[in-house]
Amino acid sequence: MFGWKKAPREISCCFTGHRPQSLPFGYDEQNPACVQLKKVLRSEIERQITKNGVTHFITGMALGIDLIAAELVLKLKKQYPNITLESAIPCENQAVKWSDAQRERYYNLAAKCDKETMLQRAYTKDCFQKRNQYMVDNSDFVIAVWNGSPSGTGQTVHYAQSKGKTITIINPFSLEITK
């Protein structure tokens, strides 16, 4: 009528994955196994951008895969300036018990995110589950770095399956990708 067009719907992807203690390299991100996992994960993120048109990513900002994925998305923003990163934070004090270096990394990444969603102020035993459900509910695609074991990551994968989401699973040990 007056040339107004509805903005195209944003296509989004969230991450779920293990904490360092469940990864083959633990906290050692210089380990060759971690370096290789980062390459595989970066490639999958880039595939989501180029093949599926993903422009918005959501990370839960937990230690391990969440922070690694956030760093990879931020690096890819140089090549794909239209992509955005959202931090989905389960509660205000998520990083309070982390080491100084871990908290510094967390706050540095949080400051670079395009959007922050704080699910609730105070910790409750289900705040991480609420965060995970929020991420899945607000995503078209899910990238899971999951070894198949019962865990919060496993619960998130099963929730995403129940919602009919398209899921890519990267096994952190074998680096096998399942779609």
Side-chain angles (χ1 to χ4, degrees), residues 29-148:
E29 290 190 29
Q30 305 310 311
N31 182 299
C34 182
V35 172
Q36 196 58 38
L37 175 60
K38 286 180 180 182
K39 285 180 184 173
V40 171
L41 183 54
R42 179 189 167 106
S43 177
E44 181 55 31
I45 294 167
E46 197 162 13
R47 190 185 74 77
Q48 292 291 340
I49 296 166
T50 60
K51 300 285 189 252
N52 295 328
V54 171
T55 57
H56 185 70
F57 292 90
I58 308 172
T59 176
M61 297 294 286
L63 290 173
I65 296 304
D66 288 2
L67 294 184
I68 289 170
E71 288 171 337
L72 292 171
V73 169
L74 290 170
K75 285 178 185 170
L76 282 165
K77 280 184 81 150
K78 293 176 178 83
Q79 190 175 345
Y80 303 97
N82 64 318
I83 63 172
T84 58
L85 179 63
E86 175 182 355
S87 60
I89 300 172
C91 60
E92 202 166 40
N93 59 354
Q94 176 176 3
V96 73
K97 294 182 180 177
W98 297 2
S99 72
D100 289 343
Q102 291 166 338
R103 275 196 314 278
E104 185 175 325
R105 181 182 187 190
Y106 172 86
Y107 289 120
N108 183 37
L109 288 170
K112 293 176 182 172
C113 288
D114 299 285
K115 178 181 179 184
E116 176 184 294
T117 301
M118 176 96 49
L119 276 292
Q120 58 190 55
R121 292 276 170 223
Y123 170 84
T124 57
K125 67 180 186 167
D126 65 345
C127 67
F128 295 101
Q129 180 182 359
K130 288 177 184 176
R131 186 257 336 259
N132 295 343
Q133 289 177 348
Y134 165 83
M135 293 191 311
V136 169
D137 290 345
N138 288 281
S139 294
D140 301 289
F141 299 92
V142 176
I143 298 174
V145 178
W146 181 44
N147 63 17

Side-chain angles (χ1 to χ4, degrees), residues 15-32:
F15 302 98
T16 185
H18 294 297
R19 306 266 167 78
Q21 58 270 28
S22 297
L23 295 168
F25 47 84
Y27 288 87
D28 180 9
E29 290 190 29
Q30 305 310 311
N31 182 299

